[in-house]
Amino acid sequence: MSETPLDLPPAEDASCFRRRPVAIVGLGLMGGSLALALKAAGHQGAIIGIARRAQTLETALAMGAIDEGHASLAAAARAELVILATPVRTLLRQIAEVTRHMQPAALLLDLGSTKQSVCQALALAPPDLQVLGGHPMCGKETSGLEAADATLYKDKTFVLCPLPRSSASSLATGLALIAAVGGRPLLLDPARHDRLAATISHLPYLASAALVQVAAQVGVTDDRVWQVAASGFRDTSRLAGSDPAMMLDILLTNVPAVRAALAALRTQLEQMDAWLAAGDEAALHQALHVVQAQRQAFARQPWRAALDAPAGEIP
């Protein structure tokens, strides 16, 4: 399912949401930015940061991102909303433990970049808890709390994946969170999310990585390639600078959809190769004009300006 903002159910009253105690597990780029965004929005309930490293907690406190910091997931017991902002395979391990500490009727929301495996794990949470899948479509190539930005979520799509067991009130709370940080909500089922994310996020990363590998292979015998490289190479290779550990976590939890996207890309490349081999200028001309029009139509979307911000887009 997909929803336009006009089709969405109502969000929780903002004044009510602002009073909720919130625990954020993981204070890297995503969790730290979320905490800063909530603070900037005037959140009144306690913002409880949970992270393994004492230095991270100290930094988050010094930044004013959190009100208190803890190393144990047990600190989630005081929160009405618990947000898992750790890498996908980490949060998959954390779900069972954190739910043991949560108070009845509290909501557990994740920010993981892939959704089917996460939503399957969330479905196993105790029945007295509320659960909701989430994925904000924003990010940077740099990671860590030092890169956190209170405006990271502003005007960015924030996907919610309700489970069959997700209540109307839990969805309303999720929508209120998105409104508080300035995001644009979109409802998708987990399988559809993973297929779309593979196409517009995971595949571009692999294509960018492959491009850099090809250039590096050329550079083995001719290092002038790096001097010839200009803005076109810079722009198309940007995603290759993303954290490999983060991207492996994403790719390995969305293998079927990523492989399908790679197969589709191979088909396109093989077709272009065939046209070049045959000297079929007309076919290439037609295909490239269609692609140009599609890219221009994308660029004209009213929300496109938010994507042109300096921050990288590795959601």
Side-chain angles (χ1 to χ4, degrees):
M1 93 188 127
S2 65
E3 308 260 352
T4 67
L6 293 177
D7 297 326
L8 290 169
E12 179 177 284
D13 179 74
S15 62
C16 179
F17 175 77
R18 276 196 296 270
R19 294 193 294 271
R20 289 189 180 276
V22 176
I24 300 175
V25 181
L27 295 173
L29 171 66
M30 303 305 292
S33 296
L34 188 70
L36 287 171
L38 287 173
K39 283 292 187 182
H43 198 80
Q44 298 165 359
I47 297 180
I48 304 162
I50 302 175
R52 292 178 303 168
R53 296 176 59 243
Q55 181 60 52
T56 298
L57 296 171
E58 291 171 6
T59 301
L61 286 165
M63 292 170 62
I66 60 175
D67 297 304
E68 53 187 90
H70 303 273
S72 171
L73 290 173
R78 293 182 31 243
E80 295 177 4
L81 170 60
V82 178
I83 300 168
L84 296 179
T86 50
V88 178
R89 288 185 290 182
T90 300
L91 70 85
L92 284 170
R93 296 192 297 268
Q94 291 173 328
I95 289 172
E97 181 180 352
V98 75
T99 54
R100 290 199 294 268
H101 301 292
M102 291 172 60
Q103 56 183 272
L107 171 61
L108 178 62
L109 169 72
D110 83 283
L111 303 185
S113 296
T114 56
K115 293 270 65 78
Q116 289 184 88
S117 58
V118 174
C119 287
Q120 289 166 4
L122 289 173
L124 301 177
D128 61 344
L129 297 179
Q130 298 295 326
V131 291
L132 185 62
H135 180 200
M137 303 302 295
C138 56
K140 296 181 181 180
E141 291 120 30
T142 51
S143 59
L145 181 59
E146 296 74 15
D149 180 354
T151 67
L152 185 70
Y153 297 87
K154 184 173 176 56
D155 295 324
K156 303 299 195 305
T157 297
F158 196 131
V159 176
L160 292 179
C161 295
L163 282 67
R165 60 178 278 184
S166 298
S167 66
S169 62
S170 66
L171 181 55
T173 299
L175 292 170
L177 170 68
I178 296 172
V181 300
R184 296 184 296 106
L186 176 67
L187 304 189
L188 294 173
D189 68 72
R192 187 178 185 185
H193 166 277
D194 285 0
R195 176 172 59 84
L196 298 179
T199 302
I200 53 81
S201 178
H202 312 160
L203 178 64
Y205 168 74
L206 289 175
S208 180
L211 173 63
V212 172
Q213 285 185 313
V214 169
Q217 288 168 356
V218 172
V220 170
T221 56
D222 191 344
D223 61 7
R224 296 293 188 187
V225 68
W226 304 115
Q227 291 178 261
V228 174
S231 58
F233 182 80
R234 179 200 63 202
D235 294 343
T236 52
S237 66
R238 177 175 61 83
L239 296 180
S242 303
D243 178 15
M246 175 186 72
M247 292 310 304
L248 275 172
D249 192 80
I250 293 170
L251 295 170
L252 293 177
T253 54
N254 198 23
V255 170
V258 172
R259 293 195 67 207
L262 282 169
L265 178 61
R266 277 195 297 272
T267 299
Q268 293 293 324
L269 292 174
E270 288 166 359
Q271 178 62 79
M272 291 180 182
D273 182 48
W275 286 330
L276 285 168
D280 193 339
E281 181 178 348
L284 271 170
H285 182 273
Q286 174 63 22
L288 294 178
H289 266 278
V290 169
V291 169
Q292 180 189 43
Q294 290 167 331
R295 179 60 176 81
Q296 290 172 342
F298 167 71
R300 288 194 297 269
Q301 295 296 316
W303 37 262
R304 172 63 200 171
L307 301 183
D308 290 328
E313 292 266 338
I314 288 289

